[in-house]
Amino acid sequence: METIGNAIIFYGLKVVMAAVIFFVGKFIAGWLRGLVAGLMKKKDMDVAIQQFVSTLVYYALLTFVCIAALGQLGIQTASLVAVVGAAGLAVGLALQGSLANFAAGVLILIFRPFRVGDYVEVAGVGGTVSKILVFTTELNTPDNKRIVIPNGQVMSGTITNYSTHDTRRVDLVIGISYGDDIDKAKAVLREVVEADKRVLADPAPNIAVTQLADSSVNLIVRPWVATGDYWGVYWDLTEAIKKRFDKEEISIPFPQRDVHLYPTADNA
């Protein structure tokens, strides 16, 4: 009876300690899940990513708590840890593409290289961001196509965000004939640019000779505009410059080549 009593006390203490480890560990895991969710909410991250990450943290911690409780009961957990590790490895290998997209989605939501509504160029395509999801990013193209890009491809290449800043520079290259007056052409270009009320005064527009090309003298026209006015100014300035050059009799030459014929003895 004394032996039985000692065994009951011994194993009873183990069961009590295992229960304490389990319930305390479960409480801590729940608290950490709430903490992670709160931190992600402060970062204004997507609700789906908040729920997914916080739940993943909770069950990962709960798994270790269960293993620790079983170890307190005297159960050999080495084989159990090996099985859990092997299962995790198998799942990771099977879902490595999805996990890569998920990790990239988390990075996008944390570092915010772009937001919904920005016009971006990623993975070789351009469009307005309509959705940023955990595994994919969705773009709407200017011709109203929906493009779904895996987040792994988004983060593995260069991201060009055209909407980050409030202003953009319009870059035009205008060619004039070698026989035209450069100073007159520059003055006309400046008048056309300054006549457009959407062009910003600061920074000042830049108009200069950039190249002595084969068929023309090329001038750059670089005014600054609000980002939302970029394409409107680009198209309107191109048309206005052509019309004003026609009025001022400043030519925009076609590509041309001089051909010299030399007489020979056969056709002299």
Side-chain angles (χ1 to χ4, degrees):
M1 293 298 294
E2 184 178 356
T3 302
I4 294 174
N6 291 334
I8 291 174
I9 294 174
F10 177 76
Y11 287 107
L13 288 175
K14 282 184 172 292
V15 170
V16 171
M17 289 300 300
V20 170
I21 291 173
F22 177 77
F23 287 109
V24 172
K26 185 178 179 181
F27 172 79
I28 294 175
W31 177 77
L32 287 175
R33 176 173 63 178
L35 178 64
V36 170
L39 291 174
M40 297 177 73
K41 187 175 182 179
K42 286 183 179 181
K43 292 289 186 179
D44 196 26
M45 298 181 66
D46 188 80
V47 176
I49 195 76
Q50 293 178 29
Q51 295 176 347
F52 184 88
V53 172
S54 60
T55 303
L56 183 65
V57 169
Y58 175 75
Y59 283 108
L61 292 174
L62 195 60
T63 300
F64 287 107
V65 169
C66 291
I67 293 174
L70 291 174
Q72 182 63 35
L73 290 174
I75 298 174
Q76 294 296 325
T77 58
S79 58
L80 181 60
V81 171
V83 170
V84 172
L89 178 61
V91 172
L93 290 175
L95 300 176
Q96 67 179 47
S98 298
L99 291 176
N101 291 329
F102 169 75
V106 172
L107 292 177
I108 291 173
L109 292 169
I110 291 175
F111 294 106
R112 298 295 181 99
F114 51 80
R115 299 172 181 268
V116 173
D118 288 353
Y119 187 88
V120 299
E121 187 174 328
V122 295
V125 296
T128 302
V129 180
S130 61
K131 291 181 181 179
I132 304 174
L133 303 176
V134 177
F135 294 99
T136 61
T137 295
E138 297 183 4
L139 306 181
N140 286 332
T141 63
D143 56 348
N144 207 27
K145 295 177 183 176
R146 174 65 57 83
I147 299 179
V148 180
I149 308 172
N151 285 332
Q153 295 184 19
V154 173
M155 292 299 291
S156 64
T158 302
I159 300 174
T160 304
N161 190 338
Y162 295 95
S163 304
T164 300
H165 303 294
D166 296 330
T167 59
R168 284 186 64 186
R169 190 183 69 187
V170 179
D171 289 357
L172 297 175
V173 178
I174 307 297
I176 63 174
S177 172
Y178 273 90
D180 289 321
D181 188 337
I182 294 178
D183 293 333
K184 178 182 178 181
K186 291 172 66 176
V188 170
L189 290 172
R190 190 167 299 279
E191 290 177 6
V192 173
V193 169
E194 292 176 351
D196 195 316
K197 302 301 182 183
R198 295 167 294 182
V199 174
L200 302 177
D202 186 23
N206 184 21
I207 299 174
V209 175
T210 183
Q211 185 182 20
L212 301 178
D214 293 338
S215 304
S216 62
V217 178
N218 293 334
L219 291 85
I220 54 170
V221 181
R222 293 179 175 176
W224 287 84
V225 299
T227 300
D229 295 332
Y230 178 86
W231 285 111
V233 173
Y234 186 97
W235 294 324
D236 291 345
L237 280 184
T238 302
E239 179 179 348
I241 289 171
K242 175 62 171 67
K243 290 180 177 179
R244 185 65 186 276
F245 272 18
D246 290 344
K247 183 178 179 180
E248 299 290 340
E249 296 183 350
I250 300 174
S251 61
I252 301 177
F254 297 100
Q256 53 188 301
R257 187 181 301 274
D258 291 336
V259 178
H260 301 272
L261 301 177
Y262 296 95
T264 62
D266 295 334
N267 60 12

